[in-house]
Amino acid sequence: MTIATTSTTSTTSTTSTTDTTTGEPELKTFESLNPATGDVVGIHPIDDEATVREAVRRARADAGWWDELGFGGRKEVLGKWRGVLARRLAELAAVVHDETGKPHADAQLEIGLAIDHLAWAAGHAGKVLGPTKSFAGLLMANQSASVEYRPLGVIGVIGPWNYPVFTPMGSIGYALAAGNTVVFKPSELTPGVGEWLAASLREVVPDRALFQVVTGLGETGAALCTAGVNKLAFTGSTDTGKKVMAACAQTLTPVIIEAGGKDALLVDADADIDAAAEAAAWGAFSNAGQTCIGVERVYVHAQVHDEFVAALVAKATSVHPGGGADASYGPATMPKQLDVIRGHIDDALASGGRALIGGAGAVGERFVQPTVLVDVPEDSPANTDETFGPTVTVKKVASMDEAVRLANATRYGLGSTVFSKANGRSIARQLRSGMTAVNDVISFAAIPALPFGGVGDSGFGRIHGADGLKEFTYAHSIASRRMKPVLLLTTFNRTAKQDTTFAQMILALHGRASTMSLPATGLGKLRRKR
Ligand code: NDP
């Protein structure tokens, strides 16, 4: 006989069953809820440390097989998986919709992009990671030099709930394509999505532990950090990222941290104002503002400020949250975030800001109305901290230099956006962020060849692109002697004459560098002063 005890929080409810004969706990579970309705959409195990370790052990047992399959064999398997995902896209989108509350079409969008990334990763892994020859240099001309990128083994992935397919697949797909096996801990808010993804790959490879999912709360994620994985790819908040890094430090497990942001959109005087306002609206409000690369701040040139603000407010007026098919975006997936959003709006208004739409009262029990704030001080939390809600601040600037300075004055550095007809790329290059979209928004995330990641409190390491493949490997350099060297340097039998010849060679190869003219900065300046 078992007795069940239940405890409920605002987001999840956990249940433990106890065997009354032995008194031993049997199974701990938690519920996944639909944030739009509060309905229970699934019950999942809370995997403990032993279960997580066992998953990692199984993953390691099959890592060699997966590696030996080679780039071609892995491309074939991942291609089949891609087909399953594409054919059953609507089914997965329904699971995403149920667990996050986001509109079905938005769920479809993130899944479609994830499939495209998977295709790129599997298709390019051989070229990016396979052996490539390098010139060995004049001193080592007798050597043949090459480098190849070898899989690390087992990769642990910890993911968030806001894009429960697209975001973790940026690690999972690239890690698998690079030849690793994967153990994934999805957010406690979206465990069903994680389980669906793993089950779909098992349809292609039923008897190998290529990609397993462990479910549970934060403790399960913490257990994955110390379960013996060869690298941990974390996506989530900056604060949890620090905990993950500290846990991984115990075992010297390397980490990738994809954390939050406070992305800015810059609008120059020559920008297409309607396009910029459309981009700002989508970047700020889509997915209920729960986008790490969402637009949270806008800096607009004074010449076009009023026109831009009017266009943005007009767009915001036509955007509506809800749970139905006609909704522009869904509820706040994580109820406790509602307090943060409310706090940022209230603080902005109390410190002199004005809401042109939304504002005080925009935050409901589950849904948040779109909010455009102006005149908000730069040191207000609405401008300094990640809001993760459908709100945006807009500030008038005298020049693009000022816009760049304010955009860069953040502890984060994830994405950014520039609207300018003449100077888009040059403004983009001045921004301190991992990615910038010019005359578009969030476009970089959908281009598989481009690395994705941030600087500062937005984390480090890269997913996507060639960098994203290399992130899950180690470089193996091989120097192979082709012939006897003219000058044998690495021997105790080296003669004084050989040392002299070596010194002459170095002088011939590099000596002229010091006599070359230097620019009027740095060393050149110093030398002239002397
Ligand atoms: P959290 O940091 O709360 O959680 C992220 C993941 O970490 C979840 O799976 C969570 O599990 C797990 N976790 C919690 N505590 C621990 C712990 N001590 N050790 C190990 N794992 C733990 O982030 P959210 O899920 O709320 O996601 C939103 C955040 O993610 C935002 O800041 C957003 O900007 C960022 N993000 C960044 C992206 C990027 O690419 N840079 C992309 C998408 C989101 P559980 O849910 O069970 O608590």
Side-chain angles (χ1 to χ4, degrees), residues 265 275-286 295 298 308 311-312 315-316 319 392:
L265 182 149
E278 179 63 34
W282 170 264
F285 309 138
S286 64
V295 174
V298 180
F308 171 83
L312 176 58
K315 307 249 178 228
V319 168
V392 64

Side-chain angles (χ1 to χ4, degrees), residues 381-392:
N383 275 325
T384 57
D385 298 346
E386 187 179 50
T387 307
F388 231 49
T391 69
V392 64

Side-chain angles (χ1 to χ4, degrees), residues 158-163 167 185-189 216-223 225 234-241 243-244 247 257-261 291-293 334 336-337 386 388 414 452-453 458 463:
I158 297 179
W161 44 265
N162 55 344
Y163 291 91
T167 297
K185 152 68 178 74
S187 163
E188 69 196 59
L189 304 184
L217 314 183
E219 293 76 29
T220 306
C225 297
F234 169 83
T235 309
S237 63
T238 306
D239 284 348
T240 309
K243 288 184 199 158
V244 163
I257 304 286
E258 297 285 352
T291 304
C292 55
I293 46 172
M334 185 168 63
K336 72 175 188 226
Q337 194 66 21
E386 187 179 50
F388 231 49
L414 195 54
F452 185 105
S458 293
I463 55 172

Side-chain angles (χ1 to χ4, degrees), residues 34-118:
N34 181 326
T37 59
D39 294 345
V40 175
V41 294
I43 297 176
H44 303 269
I46 297 179
D47 289 326
D48 62 10
E49 204 179 326
T51 310
V52 174
R53 280 195 170 276
E54 177 55 21
V56 173
R57 191 202 58 74
R58 277 195 303 267
R60 187 163 311 287
D62 282 332
W65 170 79
W66 184 235
D67 177 18
E68 279 164 24
L69 220 51
F71 294 112
R74 289 196 291 271
K75 185 177 169 188
E76 202 181 316
V77 170
L78 296 177
K80 285 184 186 161
W81 187 29
R82 184 157 52 93
V84 173
L85 293 171
R87 287 190 295 276
R88 293 174 55 196
L89 194 156
E91 191 187 315
L92 177 56
V95 183
V96 173
H97 169 76
D98 283 350
E99 289 199 321
T100 64
K102 73 173 71 180
H104 199 275
D106 283 359
Q108 176 177 287
L109 184 62
E110 72 160 292
I111 299 164
L113 293 178
I115 294 171
D116 205 41
H117 271 282
L118 184 60

